[in-house]
Each structure stands twice: as structure tokens, then as C-alpha cells.
Amino acid sequence: MTAVAAARERAAKGAWVVFAVGALAYVVTVANRTSLAAAGLDAQHRYGISAGTLSSFAVLQFLVYAALQVPVGVLIDRWGPRRLVVLGAATMGAGQLVLAFSTQTWQAVLARVLVGAGDAATFVSVLRVTTNWFPPQRVPVMTQLVGLFGQLGQVFSFVPLVALLHGPGWTPAYAGIGAFSLLATALSVIVLRDVPPGRENPRVTKPLREVGGDLRAALRHPGTRLGLWSHWATPFSGNAFATLWGFPFLVSGQGLSAGTASALLTLYTVTAAGTGPLFGTFVARHPLRRSWLVLAIVGAQAVVWAVVLLWSGPAPLALLALLVVVAATGVPGSLVGFDYARTSNPAHRLGGATGMTNVMGFAASVVLILLVGVLLDVQGAGTPATYSLEAFRVAFALQYPLWAVGVAGILVSRRQTRALMARDGVVVPRVRDVLRERRAGGVVHAPVPARHDAAGDR
């Protein structure tokens, strides 16, 4: 083996080691993010709060997360992603330790603020590490793999954490997840690096005016906006379900046992993890058809939710399982939005563009989580004993206006992106033309955007 080949092999192995630690950091992040989901009823009892107050915990967490996305993206460009991963894991660990020993509502609120802040710093930073260490053609699949491993964090929330809550109790359960976060902090310090050895670190220090100019330039590109709306439309249904309202909906609304509800939420996690690599492969092979995947996911969610909400009485278990599966596809589907940001922006403004993209899905999630809690309270479902299926039907119907806004944004920005491509001389063949040529024995080749300042879709 030549010295060059040996160096390449070491670099490849190093990339996978770095990826493994980054993925572990995201596992911890998702575990922290969803750690209140299956404990919602326990939290109401511990703090003596209503459904609206409980929903405000998750809303505040997501608001902090969303508000910090653009600053975190700018800091990634300035400080590098490794420092942000370390800071995020340490902050989440501190938040969970506060929650573990909290007995008053204000302490729980502080804990969720810390968790939201740490969560905000982690995912986009791990994505940047992945982008820096792997070749561009592999980035879509690697991004989905990050999401896949992150779903293990939800498994932790839905199974071991529930067992700890109903066994040793609240304090050991949340102190344990806090310790898990501090372990991820230590591993990130030891292993993570911004870029492979010998490669120039793209960190740049810019004046505030230039940072604002980069953000405006990213937002002006229709491909970036297509990513924003893709991330808005796909994940909020699953986020609201997995983060807070799925367990009460299944137990109090649909009459399932806690064990069956936990099994369905585990199915949610397995589906989100399993479909991620499939979606990543599709995006890598068909970058001009990414919006098809996004619109198909949104359409499937809307249809299945309609069937569940209109069903007379509690829905059959098979239908609820289908609902969980379809809702789960929104999580990996939302990652398509980051691929739009990546292909629409040069490296020096990628952090800000990624942060803006990430804001959208969580903004929609905040709206849904908050309004579900408010509507449950308005209908008299302020305690676990008074949750009703009818109240949940009204509350979850709020998803449809959010989907409508997202789909409209996708269609408008997609048309603008196609117009920009046409001005650059890139013509994307229509699907019927491709199919006609294939039936005739020919092949129509759709050009794939090669520059970071051009994005294609059809």
C-alpha cells in the first residue's frame, strides 16, 4: 500500500469515528428533546399543572430552540461545529439535572429552557461536521444516517426512561439522562474535530453587517426558501405527537394501555430511523425530484390523520399504527430541507442558511403543540381524567392550516427555483417526457446542479 493510499484509508476511518461520536451526541439530543413526552401525565401530577401549562413547557423549549437557530448557524461559521456540540451537550446535561431535583413549576421551566438551548446547538453542528468530513455525493445519505441514529434517543425516552419513572422515580430518571449528556460532552471534546487533518478550517470571523448580508443573500435564493418550506410542512405533526401529545392521545383519547402506547411510539422511532436511509438514497439519486418526496409525505400525513379524526369512536389499532408510521416519515422527510440549503448556498453562508431552515419546522411544531394544549383546556380537558377523544379531534384538526401554508410555500418557491434554473440555461425534462423516451428505448438525462449557488427541483 502506498503512502497516499494509507493516508486516505486513515482519513476514511477517522471520518467514521468522528461521525459515530457526532451521531451519539445527536442520540443524546433527541433523548433530551423528547424526555418529557412519555412523562407528561407524571409531570402534571408532580407540578399540579393543567394541559395548557404542560404544553407551554414543550412550547418554551421549542421557542428557545427556534430562536437560537440562526445565531447558532452564524456561530458555527465563526467558531466551528465542535465547540457548539460540546456546549450543547453540557447545557442539556445541566438542564436535566435541574429537572431531576425540581419540585416547583419555575424550576421545570428553567430546565426546559436549558434543554432547548443545548438542543439548538447540536443538530446543525453535527450536520456541518458530517459535511466537512464526507464527500458531497455521500452527504444526503450521511445526513439521513444522523437522523436515523438520533431516533435511538426517542427509544430511550419511550422505554428505559418510562421504566425508570415508574420504578426508581422522577429524580433518578432525569439525573440519569443528565449523566448521559455529560458523557456525550466528554466524548465530543476528545474525539470531534471540525475538519479532517490537513484540510483548511473554513471558520471565518465577519463583522455583523456582513453576517446580515449573508443571511439576506441565502434567503433571497429560492432554493433556500424551498428548503425552508419543506422543513415547515413535514415534521410538525410527528414532533407534536412524539414530543408531548402522542402518549396522552393514545392513552386518554383512544383508550390504549400505557404499554401499547409506548409500543406505538417505539414503532414511530423505528419507522423514522428505517425510512431515513431510503429517503437519503432517493435524494442523492434524484436531486431534481426532491419536492415530490416532500409533497408525498405531507399528503400521506393529511389523509391518514383525516381518517383517524373522522373515525366513529376509537380507531382500530392497525389504523393507529399506520398513523404512527406516516407521522414518523416527516422527521427524515424534513431533512430534505437541509439538502436544499446545502445545494443553494456556498460554504461561507451555509451555517446561517441551515439555521434558518431548521427554524421553520420547529416554529410550526411550537404553534401546534401550544394550540393543542390550549384547545384541550378550552374544552374542559385540563386534567388527565378529562381528556376526551372529541377534544383531541378538535385540537389535532389544527394541523390542516399549517399543512396548507407549507404546501403553498413549497409550490411557489419551487416555481421560482425552476425559473432561476431556466435563466441559467438548465432545462429539467418533464416526467411525461422522460417516461415517453424510456418507452421508446431512449434516455433523457436531467442535469444535476453542480454549484452551491444553484438548486434544482422538479
Side-chain angles (χ1 to χ4, degrees):
M1 180 180 296
T2 66
V4 173
R8 288 178 178 173
E9 184 176 350
R10 287 194 300 271
K13 291 180 179 178
W16 282 104
V17 173
V18 168
F19 174 81
V21 173
L24 175 63
Y26 189 52
V27 169
V28 174
T29 299
V30 176
N32 278 280
R33 180 189 302 165
T34 60
S35 59
L36 204 59
L41 303 182
D42 298 85
Q44 284 192 286
H45 176 74
R46 182 179 180 88
Y47 301 111
I49 56 178
S50 68
T53 304
L54 176 63
S55 69
S56 70
F57 283 11
V59 166
L60 181 60
Q61 176 183 332
F62 279 137
L63 280 174
V64 172
Y65 181 100
L68 290 178
Q69 282 308 295
V70 174
V72 163
V74 172
L75 288 176
I76 290 173
D77 292 335
R78 186 184 184 96
W79 291 352
R82 174 177 175 263
R83 295 181 184 180
L84 272 297
V85 173
V86 171
L87 180 62
T91 304
M92 286 185 290
Q96 295 292 20
L97 291 176
V98 170
L99 188 66
F101 297 98
S102 65
T103 56
Q104 300 181 42
T105 303
W106 72 266
Q107 296 168 332
V109 168
L110 173 61
R112 300 318 289 178
V113 167
L114 291 173
V115 169
D119 186 359
T122 306
F123 180 59
V124 291
S125 302
V126 173
L127 288 188
R128 175 59 73 87
V129 170
T130 302
T131 300
N132 290 347
W133 277 82
F134 288 89
Q137 65 272 20
R138 297 183 65 182
V139 169
V141 175
M142 300 308 298
T143 298
Q144 291 289 350
L145 286 177
V146 172
L148 184 157
F149 286 108
Q151 299 313 310
L152 297 175
Q154 287 190 344
V155 174
F156 183 88
S157 295
F158 297 148
V159 182
L161 184 62
V162 170
L164 288 172
L165 281 169
H166 297 163
W170 182 279
T171 297
Y174 284 100
I177 196 171
F180 191 29
S181 302
L182 297 179
L183 172 63
T185 304
L187 289 175
S188 299
V189 170
I190 295 169
V191 177
L192 284 188
R193 295 296 180 269
D194 290 340
V195 295
R199 181 179 299 178
E200 182 180 358
N201 198 318
R203 290 185 303 183
V204 291
T205 300
K206 303 176 183 178
L208 186 60
R209 179 177 298 179
E210 188 174 346
V211 170
D214 283 346
L215 292 176
R216 288 191 296 272
L219 192 57
R220 281 196 299 268
H221 196 292
T224 303
R225 296 196 297 273
L226 186 52
L228 298 179
W229 288 116
S230 296
H231 201 270
W232 167 282
T234 45
F236 66 78
S237 181
N239 280 342
F241 195 88
T243 303
L244 188 61
W245 292 120
F247 197 85
F249 172 71
L250 295 172
V251 174
S252 298
Q254 294 290 339
L256 300 182
S257 67
T260 303
S262 294
L264 286 177
L265 290 173
T266 302
L267 175 63
Y268 173 97
T269 301
V270 171
T271 302
T275 53
L278 299 178
F279 292 171
T281 301
F282 178 88
V283 169
R285 292 181 178 177
H286 307 285
L288 303 178
R289 313 296 181 191
R290 289 171 287 185
S291 68
W292 286 21
L293 179 60
V294 171
L295 293 172
I297 289 170
V298 173
Q301 289 177 341
V303 168
V304 177
W305 264 112
V307 175
V308 171
L309 296 180
L310 294 174
W311 197 272
S312 179
L317 183 59
L319 179 57
L320 294 175
L322 177 62
L323 173 67
V324 167
V325 167
V326 171
T329 62
V331 177
S334 69
L335 300 185
V336 177
F338 297 114
D339 202 60
Y340 282 124
R342 178 181 65 85
T343 57
S344 302
N345 294 276
H348 69 271
R349 69 179 192 225
L350 183 55
T354 303
M356 287 190 294
T357 301
N358 209 19
V359 166
M360 296 296 282
F362 286 92
S365 300
V366 164
V367 172
L368 182 60
I369 290 171
L370 176 61
L371 292 182
V372 166
V374 169
L375 282 181
L376 288 174
D377 278 346
V378 167
Q379 297 173 89
T383 66
T386 57
Y387 285 143
S388 69
L389 181 56
E390 289 71 23
F392 271 119
R393 283 176 174 150
V394 173
F396 277 117
L398 289 168
Q399 295 175 103
Y400 287 90
L402 298 178
W403 277 319
V405 169
V407 169
I410 289 169
L411 295 177
V412 170
S413 54
R414 184 176 69 171
R415 185 175 65 249
Q416 294 169 342
T417 301
R418 293 173 177 174
L420 178 62
M421 293 177 64
R423 288 197 297 270
D424 289 340
V426 179
V427 178
V428 181
R430 296 182 180 274
V431 174
R432 61 174 175 264
D433 296 332
V434 174
L435 295 177
R436 187 182 302 115
E437 287 292 328
R438 287 181 177 174
R439 285 196 297 268
V443 178
V444 175
H445 297 282
V448 177
R451 296 181 296 146
H452 280 295
D453 60 347
D457 189 79
R458 186 67 173 173

